[in-house]
Amino acid sequence: MGQIRITSRMRSFNPDMEEGFTRKYDNDGVLHEYMGRANECDYACESFHRTSKDKGQTWSEWETVFKDNSGGRHGAVPDSPDGDELIGGPASPTLYDPISGCWFGVRGSAYYLKGHNVGYFAMALDGEDNVRFHGYYAIRYPDGREVSKMIELEEGGADYDPAKYRDPNFLDKNRCQAGDLHILPDGDLCFYIYPSVTLGCKIAGIDVNSYFPSSPNLHCGLIVVRAHWDAEKSDYDFTYSNVIMLSDVQSSRCIMEPHMVTLKSGRMLLVVRGSNYTHEPWNTRISPRAPGFKWYTFSDDGGRTFAPLMPWHFDTREVVYSSASIHSFYRSKQNGKLYWIGNVIEPQLIFANDPRFPLQICEVNEEYGYLIKDTLTVIETVREGQWKVELSNFNLLEDPDTGKLEMRMTKININDAEQGMGKPGDWYSEAWEYFFEFPVDE
C-alpha cells in the first residue's frame, strides 16, 4: 500500500495575533485569498482579501474587508448603550446551480448582547444567554431577480430591524445558524441548519427539560436541508431531515461542526464534534470522566432521515477518540479514495477541546464509513516540550487542474500560553502550508 507524501513550509508568523489564510477558486478560475487576524477568542478583528488570475503566481494588492481600530469594532450596533454587536447578516448568492441556472447562498448571523468582547465571554464563563444566531438563504435567478430570506423554523419571528435591535421577536425566535452549502451527487443543493437545542427539541417533539436541561439555548443541533429545483414552479422545494442531536449526558455542547460525504455505496456519512466539557455555570450533566470522541450517523434515503448518533470507530472496532476539534472529509482526485482529516488522541488525555495534536489523515471505508486504522498518517505534531499547541485550525484547497491537495493551518498557543491572559507572546501564531501527494494504485 502506497504512502501519502506530505511536505510543508511556514508561511508567516505573528507575535501578537492569531493569523490565518484561506483560499478558494471561483467559477472563473480566479483564486481568492483571505487573511484573517484575531486577538480575541472566536472573533476576527481584521480581514483582508486579494486575488490571483494565474493560480498564485502574481497577486493583486491586499484590500481591507474590515479592521477594528480606535474608532470601534466592525460589528457594533449603532446607538446600543450596552455595546451590542451583530456579526454577519443576510446571505449573498455564492454557488452556481447548473440545473436551475440560479446562484444560491446561505449564511448565518450572530447577535451578541453586550458585544462579543463582553457578552460572548459571559456566556462561555458564566452561562449567560447572550448569543443569538439566525440563518439566511438567497437566490439570484437568471433574469437578475434576487430573493433573500431569513430561515423561519417557528412562527412569530421577525428579521433584524436596526430601529428595534432588541426586538424579542428577532432575538428569541428562529434561533439557528446556517451554512456549509454544497451540491450533492444527484444535483440537489444541500446545506445545514443548526437550531438551538431548545428549538431543536421543539421541532422534534422532545421535552428539552428531560433531554438537555443544561443551558439548551447555548448549544445547537443539526438539520440537513435539500434544495430541489422544481422547473414548473421555477423555485426550490426544501426538504428537511430529522433533527440530529446528542443529549447533555452524551455531549455537554450537543453537536458542532458536522461534515457529511456520500460514500460510493450511496450511504451518506455524517461525522460531528461533541464535547466532554464539564462546566458548573452551564449546569452540565455529563460525567466528569466521560470520554471524548467523534460521533457519526448515516442516511440511506438521501439525507431525509438519519440514524441516532453513535461513537465513530475504526475497522479494528476501536473508537475514534478525539478532542472537540475541527475535522474534514476529502476525496482525492488523484486516486479517488476518501479520507478524513482530524485529531486522534489517546482517550485519557482528552478534556473538552484539548489536546489538538497530532493532526492525522486516514482513509474511509466506502461501504459502511468506518476509518481504516492502518492508513492513519500523521500530518503534523508538536515540537518537543510543547503541550498546548493547537493543530486543528485548517482549511483545504484542491488545484482544479492537477487535483493536488493543499492545506493551510494556523498553529496557535505556540508558546503554550492561554490566549488572552495579557502576557507578551500569548497570541503568537504561525501560519503553515501543506502539500499532499496521494498514492495511485497500479
mmCIF file of all heavy atoms in Angstrom, residues 291-317:
data_model
loop_
_atom_site.group_PDB
_atom_site.id
_atom_site.type_symbol
_atom_site.label_atom_id
_atom_site.label_comp_id
_atom_site.label_asym_id
_atom_site.label_seq_id
_atom_site.Cartn_x
_atom_site.Cartn_y
_atom_site.Cartn_z
ATOM 1 N N PRO A 291 -15.570 9.933 28.144
ATOM 2 C CA PRO A 291 -14.546 10.016 27.102
ATOM 3 C C PRO A 291 -14.911 11.059 26.052
ATOM 4 O O PRO A 291 -16.056 11.512 25.971
ATOM 5 C CB PRO A 291 -14.543 8.604 26.494
ATOM 6 C CG PRO A 291 -15.942 8.117 26.729
ATOM 7 C CD PRO A 291 -16.378 8.713 28.038
ATOM 8 N N GLY A 292 -13.930 11.422 25.243
ATOM 9 C CA GLY A 292 -14.177 12.331 24.135
ATOM 10 C C GLY A 292 -13.954 11.618 22.820
ATOM 11 O O GLY A 292 -12.940 10.950 22.633
ATOM 12 N N PHE A 293 -14.912 11.722 21.919
ATOM 13 C CA PHE A 293 -14.737 11.099 20.620
ATOM 14 C C PHE A 293 -15.579 11.812 19.567
ATOM 15 O O PHE A 293 -16.433 12.627 19.884
ATOM 16 C CB PHE A 293 -15.070 9.602 20.619
ATOM 17 C CG PHE A 293 -16.164 9.173 21.551
ATOM 18 C CD1 PHE A 293 -17.491 9.534 21.332
ATOM 19 C CD2 PHE A 293 -15.873 8.408 22.658
ATOM 20 C CE1 PHE A 293 -18.493 9.123 22.180
ATOM 21 C CE2 PHE A 293 -16.873 7.998 23.524
ATOM 22 C CZ PHE A 293 -18.180 8.352 23.298
ATOM 23 N N LYS A 294 -15.301 11.484 18.316
ATOM 24 C CA LYS A 294 -16.151 11.955 17.235
ATOM 25 C C LYS A 294 -17.369 11.034 17.156
ATOM 26 O O LYS A 294 -17.273 9.831 17.399
ATOM 27 C CB LYS A 294 -15.390 11.942 15.898
ATOM 28 C CG LYS A 294 -14.286 12.996 15.800
ATOM 29 C CD LYS A 294 -14.856 14.400 15.810
ATOM 30 C CE LYS A 294 -13.798 15.469 15.537
ATOM 31 N NZ LYS A 294 -12.907 15.742 16.677
ATOM 32 N N TRP A 295 -18.527 11.623 16.820
ATOM 33 C CA TRP A 295 -19.774 10.885 16.690
ATOM 34 C C TRP A 295 -20.148 10.785 15.218
ATOM 35 O O TRP A 295 -19.832 11.681 14.436
ATOM 36 C CB TRP A 295 -20.887 11.608 17.435
ATOM 37 C CG TRP A 295 -20.685 11.737 18.911
ATOM 38 C CD1 TRP A 295 -19.893 12.645 19.545
ATOM 39 C CD2 TRP A 295 -21.289 10.946 19.930
ATOM 40 N NE1 TRP A 295 -19.971 12.468 20.917
ATOM 41 C CE2 TRP A 295 -20.829 11.425 21.171
ATOM 42 C CE3 TRP A 295 -22.197 9.884 19.917
ATOM 43 C CZ2 TRP A 295 -21.231 10.883 22.384
ATOM 44 C CZ3 TRP A 295 -22.606 9.336 21.128
ATOM 45 C CH2 TRP A 295 -22.124 9.830 22.344
ATOM 46 N N TYR A 296 -20.848 9.720 14.848
ATOM 47 C CA TYR A 296 -21.251 9.592 13.452
ATOM 48 C C TYR A 296 -22.690 9.103 13.347
ATOM 49 O O TYR A 296 -23.245 8.484 14.256
ATOM 50 C CB TYR A 296 -20.316 8.641 12.702
ATOM 51 C CG TYR A 296 -20.688 7.178 12.766
ATOM 52 C CD1 TYR A 296 -21.278 6.532 11.672
ATOM 53 C CD2 TYR A 296 -20.460 6.425 13.921
ATOM 54 C CE1 TYR A 296 -21.618 5.184 11.729
ATOM 55 C CE2 TYR A 296 -20.796 5.082 13.991
ATOM 56 C CZ TYR A 296 -21.376 4.470 12.888
ATOM 57 O OH TYR A 296 -21.727 3.144 12.948
ATOM 58 N N THR A 297 -23.284 9.408 12.218
ATOM 59 C CA THR A 297 -24.584 8.882 11.845
ATOM 60 C C THR A 297 -24.579 8.691 10.333
ATOM 61 O O THR A 297 -23.604 9.042 9.659
ATOM 62 C CB THR A 297 -25.726 9.813 12.267
ATOM 63 O OG1 THR A 297 -26.989 9.241 11.851
ATOM 64 C CG2 THR A 297 -25.602 11.179 11.644
ATOM 65 N N PHE A 298 -25.644 8.123 9.803
ATOM 66 C CA PHE A 298 -25.712 7.916 8.368
ATOM 67 C C PHE A 298 -27.163 7.959 7.913
ATOM 68 O O PHE A 298 -28.101 7.819 8.700
ATOM 69 C CB PHE A 298 -25.077 6.572 7.970
ATOM 70 C CG PHE A 298 -25.716 5.372 8.620
ATOM 71 C CD1 PHE A 298 -26.835 4.773 8.054
ATOM 72 C CD2 PHE A 298 -25.214 4.848 9.798
ATOM 73 C CE1 PHE A 298 -27.439 3.671 8.645
ATOM 74 C CE2 PHE A 298 -25.804 3.754 10.403
ATOM 75 C CZ PHE A 298 -26.924 3.163 9.832
ATOM 76 N N SER A 299 -27.314 8.174 6.614
ATOM 77 C CA SER A 299 -28.637 8.151 5.993
ATOM 78 C C SER A 299 -28.574 7.260 4.766
ATOM 79 O O SER A 299 -27.649 7.377 3.952
ATOM 80 C CB SER A 299 -29.062 9.567 5.584
ATOM 81 O OG SER A 299 -30.267 9.532 4.836
ATOM 82 N N ASP A 300 -29.556 6.378 4.636
ATOM 83 C CA ASP A 300 -29.667 5.521 3.459
ATOM 84 C C ASP A 300 -30.829 5.932 2.558
ATOM 85 O O ASP A 300 -31.191 5.197 1.637
ATOM 86 C CB ASP A 300 -29.827 4.049 3.880
ATOM 87 C CG ASP A 300 -28.541 3.467 4.444
ATOM 88 O OD1 ASP A 300 -27.457 3.902 4.000
ATOM 89 O OD2 ASP A 300 -28.607 2.592 5.336
ATOM 90 N N ASP A 301 -31.429 7.114 2.845
ATOM 91 C CA ASP A 301 -32.519 7.591 1.991
ATOM 92 C C ASP A 301 -32.227 8.994 1.463
ATOM 93 O O ASP A 301 -33.127 9.823 1.306
ATOM 94 C CB ASP A 301 -33.855 7.553 2.734
ATOM 95 C CG ASP A 301 -33.871 8.441 3.978
ATOM 96 O OD1 ASP A 301 -32.867 9.140 4.235
ATOM 97 O OD2 ASP A 301 -34.904 8.433 4.687
ATOM 98 N N GLY A 302 -30.947 9.248 1.192
ATOM 99 C CA GLY A 302 -30.577 10.514 0.570
ATOM 100 C C GLY A 302 -30.574 11.708 1.493
ATOM 101 O O GLY A 302 -30.705 12.841 1.032
ATOM 102 N N GLY A 303 -30.431 11.487 2.787
ATOM 103 C CA GLY A 303 -30.344 12.591 3.726
ATOM 104 C C GLY A 303 -31.653 13.054 4.300
ATOM 105 O O GLY A 303 -31.714 14.090 4.968
ATOM 106 N N ARG A 304 -32.705 12.291 4.075
ATOM 107 C CA ARG A 304 -34.007 12.688 4.616
ATOM 108 C C ARG A 304 -34.170 12.247 6.064
ATOM 109 O O ARG A 304 -34.815 12.940 6.859
ATOM 110 C CB ARG A 304 -35.124 12.134 3.723
ATOM 111 C CG ARG A 304 -35.123 12.777 2.331
ATOM 112 C CD ARG A 304 -35.964 12.030 1.329
ATOM 113 N NE ARG A 304 -35.938 12.659 0.005
ATOM 114 C CZ ARG A 304 -34.978 12.480 -0.886
ATOM 115 N NH1 ARG A 304 -33.949 11.681 -0.606
ATOM 116 N NH2 ARG A 304 -35.013 13.095 -2.057
ATOM 117 N N THR A 305 -33.626 11.088 6.402
ATOM 118 C CA THR A 305 -33.637 10.629 7.795
ATOM 119 C C THR A 305 -32.250 10.103 8.139
ATOM 120 O O THR A 305 -31.593 9.447 7.324
ATOM 121 C CB THR A 305 -34.677 9.518 8.031
ATOM 122 O OG1 THR A 305 -34.442 8.430 7.122
ATOM 123 C CG2 THR A 305 -36.082 10.043 7.833
ATOM 124 N N PHE A 306 -31.828 10.378 9.375
ATOM 125 C CA PHE A 306 -30.528 9.936 9.864
ATOM 126 C C PHE A 306 -30.709 9.076 11.115
ATOM 127 O O PHE A 306 -31.608 9.311 11.927
ATOM 128 C CB PHE A 306 -29.632 11.130 10.194
ATOM 129 C CG PHE A 306 -29.082 11.819 8.981
ATOM 130 C CD1 PHE A 306 -29.836 12.794 8.325
ATOM 131 C CD2 PHE A 306 -27.841 11.494 8.480
ATOM 132 C CE1 PHE A 306 -29.344 13.430 7.196
ATOM 133 C CE2 PHE A 306 -27.338 12.111 7.355
ATOM 134 C CZ PHE A 306 -28.090 13.083 6.706
ATOM 135 N N ALA A 307 -29.837 8.077 11.250
ATOM 136 C CA ALA A 307 -29.854 7.208 12.414
ATOM 137 C C ALA A 307 -29.385 7.978 13.647
ATOM 138 O O ALA A 307 -28.778 9.052 13.522
ATOM 139 C CB ALA A 307 -28.939 6.000 12.166
ATOM 140 N N PRO A 308 -29.648 7.469 14.855
ATOM 141 C CA PRO A 308 -29.110 8.109 16.055
ATOM 142 C C PRO A 308 -27.584 8.161 16.008
ATOM 143 O O PRO A 308 -26.936 7.263 15.469
ATOM 144 C CB PRO A 308 -29.595 7.191 17.190
ATOM 145 C CG PRO A 308 -30.791 6.502 16.634
ATOM 146 C CD PRO A 308 -30.512 6.318 15.177
ATOM 147 N N LEU A 309 -27.013 9.218 16.565
ATOM 148 C CA LEU A 309 -25.567 9.367 16.589
ATOM 149 C C LEU A 309 -24.923 8.285 17.457
ATOM 150 O O LEU A 309 -25.448 7.919 18.512
ATOM 151 C CB LEU A 309 -25.187 10.746 17.112
ATOM 152 C CG LEU A 309 -25.396 11.903 16.128
ATOM 153 C CD1 LEU A 309 -25.471 13.225 16.865
ATOM 154 C CD2 LEU A 309 -24.281 11.932 15.086
ATOM 155 N N MET A 310 -23.763 7.813 17.003
ATOM 156 C CA MET A 310 -23.008 6.775 17.687
ATOM 157 C C MET A 310 -21.531 7.145 17.686
ATOM 158 O O MET A 310 -21.082 7.888 16.796
ATOM 159 C CB MET A 310 -23.194 5.420 16.977
ATOM 160 C CG MET A 310 -24.642 4.939 16.933
ATOM 161 S SD MET A 310 -24.919 3.695 15.640
ATOM 162 C CE MET A 310 -25.023 4.731 14.174
ATOM 163 N N PRO A 311 -20.728 6.631 18.631
ATOM 164 C CA PRO A 311 -19.281 6.884 18.585
ATOM 165 C C PRO A 311 -18.684 6.281 17.306
ATOM 166 O O PRO A 311 -18.952 5.130 16.963
ATOM 167 C CB PRO A 311 -18.749 6.179 19.833
ATOM 168 C CG PRO A 311 -19.920 6.106 20.765
ATOM 169 C CD PRO A 311 -21.107 5.909 19.868
ATOM 170 N N TRP A 312 -17.886 7.088 16.608
ATOM 171 C CA TRP A 312 -17.254 6.621 15.366
ATOM 172 C C TRP A 312 -16.173 5.600 15.690
ATOM 173 O O TRP A 312 -15.643 5.573 16.806
ATOM 174 C CB TRP A 312 -16.666 7.822 14.641
ATOM 175 C CG TRP A 312 -16.553 7.659 13.157
ATOM 176 C CD1 TRP A 312 -17.230 6.789 12.359
ATOM 177 C CD2 TRP A 312 -15.713 8.425 12.288
ATOM 178 N NE1 TRP A 312 -16.868 6.957 11.045
ATOM 179 C CE2 TRP A 312 -15.938 7.959 10.971
ATOM 180 C CE3 TRP A 312 -14.802 9.466 12.488
ATOM 181 C CZ2 TRP A 312 -15.277 8.490 9.861
ATOM 182 C CZ3 TRP A 312 -14.151 10.004 11.401
ATOM 183 C CH2 TRP A 312 -14.383 9.519 10.092
ATOM 184 N N HIS A 313 -15.805 4.768 14.711
ATOM 185 C CA HIS A 313 -14.855 3.701 15.013
ATOM 186 C C HIS A 313 -13.997 3.359 13.791
ATOM 187 O O HIS A 313 -14.294 3.734 12.660
ATOM 188 C CB HIS A 313 -15.601 2.448 15.482
ATOM 189 C CG HIS A 313 -16.641 1.974 14.519
ATOM 190 N ND1 HIS A 313 -17.918 2.488 14.504
ATOM 191 C CD2 HIS A 313 -16.607 1.066 13.510
ATOM 192 C CE1 HIS A 313 -18.623 1.903 13.551
ATOM 193 N NE2 HIS A 313 -17.844 1.045 12.922
ATOM 194 N N PHE A 314 -12.903 2.642 14.081
ATOM 195 C CA PHE A 314 -12.015 2.095 13.061
ATOM 196 C C PHE A 314 -12.497 0.710 12.642
ATOM 197 O O PHE A 314 -13.394 0.126 13.260
ATOM 198 C CB PHE A 314 -10.594 1.977 13.610
ATOM 199 C CG PHE A 314 -9.902 3.289 13.863
ATOM 200 C CD1 PHE A 314 -9.829 3.819 15.142
ATOM 201 C CD2 PHE A 314 -9.288 3.973 12.826
ATOM 202 C CE1 PHE A 314 -9.171 5.008 15.387
ATOM 203 C CE2 PHE A 314 -8.621 5.176 13.062
ATOM 204 C CZ PHE A 314 -8.563 5.695 14.340
ATOM 205 N N ASP A 315 -11.827 0.196 11.597
ATOM 206 C CA ASP A 315 -12.125 -1.174 11.173
ATOM 207 C C ASP A 315 -11.682 -2.205 12.213
ATOM 208 O O ASP A 315 -12.122 -3.353 12.183
ATOM 209 C CB ASP A 315 -11.466 -1.478 9.825
ATOM 210 C CG ASP A 315 -9.963 -1.238 9.820
ATOM 211 O OD1 ASP A 315 -9.458 -0.527 10.711
ATOM 212 O OD2 ASP A 315 -9.279 -1.755 8.910
ATOM 213 N N THR A 316 -10.841 -1.786 13.160
ATOM 214 C CA THR A 316 -10.395 -2.673 14.243
ATOM 215 C C THR A 316 -11.398 -2.732 15.393
ATOM 216 O O THR A 316 -11.140 -3.404 16.392
ATOM 217 C CB THR A 316 -9.054 -2.157 14.793
ATOM 218 O OG1 THR A 316 -9.246 -0.802 15.244
ATOM 219 C CG2 THR A 316 -7.974 -2.187 13.727
ATOM 220 N N ARG A 317 -12.497 -1.998 15.266
ATOM 221 C CA ARG A 317 -13.529 -1.823 16.291
ATOM 222 C C ARG A 317 -13.090 -0.887 17.421
ATOM 223 O O ARG A 317 -13.798 -0.741 18.416
ATOM 224 C CB ARG A 317 -14.011 -3.173 16.870
ATOM 225 C CG ARG A 317 -14.720 -4.057 15.857
ATOM 226 C CD ARG A 317 -15.405 -5.245 16.534
ATOM 227 N NE ARG A 317 -16.214 -6.009 15.581
ATOM 228 C CZ ARG A 317 -15.787 -7.067 14.911
ATOM 229 N NH1 ARG A 317 -14.546 -7.478 15.067
ATOM 230 N NH2 ARG A 317 -16.583 -7.694 14.076
#
